[in-house]
Amino acid sequence: MERANWIVVGTDFSDGAQRALDHAVLLARSSGACVAVVHAYEDTAETARAMEDRAPLLTTQLQDAVAGTNASLYGVHVESFLRRGAPWEKLQNVAIEVGADLIVVGATGQRGVAAVGAVLGSVVFRVIASSTRSVLISRPPLDRARSVEPCESTGKEG
């Protein structure tokens, strides 16, 4: 029996993370891989005091994120992983657990880019710095970044 190929993708439920998940699904479709979508969260002093278990809500959000892709239409197998801890560490852990060759992350997420600058978010920076696997950074489309209309192909060669 042949081992399944896996692509791990992290999500914080931001638009950038959803684009990364969409990108991972497209890559999995073309390569026959499975997708492991990971959400990792750290308890803050406030949530630790409240002793509130966020797992059911986060699990629902993970399911919604997967449902927002074309994975089922494309026949891509997606498994969700909810982990407590530092996101960059948990992405690595799941990649090792499933034997993934690739980790896909959005360029920036909910925290934005304040910690690192205008290029990468803090989580993606740490994933790149510590990864033992290839990392693909899913950027926003160029037309959105520049707020211009995309070029349309006329079908004519010049």
Side-chain angles (χ1 to χ4, degrees), residues 18-31:
Q18 191 65 38
R19 280 191 300 275
L21 179 54
D22 290 339
H23 201 147
V25 167
L26 288 173
L27 287 171
R29 177 186 184 199
S30 65
S31 67

Side-chain angles (χ1 to χ4, degrees), residues 87-105:
W88 53 91
E89 290 176 358
K90 298 309 171 183
L91 283 170
Q92 300 286 358
N93 292 351
V94 171
I96 292 167
E97 184 179 326
V98 300
D101 298 313
L102 178 66
I103 298 173
V104 179
V105 290

Side-chain angles (χ1 to χ4, degrees), residues 1 4 7 21 28-29 31 35 38 65 71 85 88 93 96 104 110 121 125 133 142 153 157:
M1 181 174 195
I7 298 170
L21 179 54
R29 177 186 184 199
S31 67
V35 174
V38 180
W88 53 91
N93 292 351
I96 292 167
V104 179
Q110 288 181 345
F125 182 79
R133 280 141 170 87
L142 184 59
S153 174
E157 291 187 30

Side-chain angles (χ1 to χ4, degrees), residues 59-92:
T59 300
T60 299
Q61 287 181 284
L62 267 171
Q63 292 168 348
D64 291 346
V66 172
T69 70
N70 288 324
S72 61
L73 178 68
Y74 296 153
V76 173
H77 176 75
V78 179
E79 287 188 30
S80 299
F81 294 81
L82 182 62
R83 299 289 192 260
R84 181 177 290 165
W88 53 91
E89 290 176 358
K90 298 309 171 183
L91 283 170
Q92 300 286 358

Side-chain angles (χ1 to χ4, degrees), residues 83-145:
R83 299 289 192 260
R84 181 177 290 165
W88 53 91
E89 290 176 358
K90 298 309 171 183
L91 283 170
Q92 300 286 358
N93 292 351
V94 171
I96 292 167
E97 184 179 326
V98 300
D101 298 313
L102 178 66
I103 298 173
V104 179
V105 290
T108 60
Q110 288 181 345
R111 295 182 186 179
V113 294
V116 178
V119 179
L120 299 175
S122 60
V123 171
V124 69
F125 182 79
R126 289 178 173 144
V127 168
I128 292 168
S130 63
S131 185
T132 58
R133 280 141 170 87
S134 295
V135 178
L136 177 90
I137 302 168
S138 179
R139 305 263 322 160
L142 184 59
D143 60 320
R144 280 194 191 166

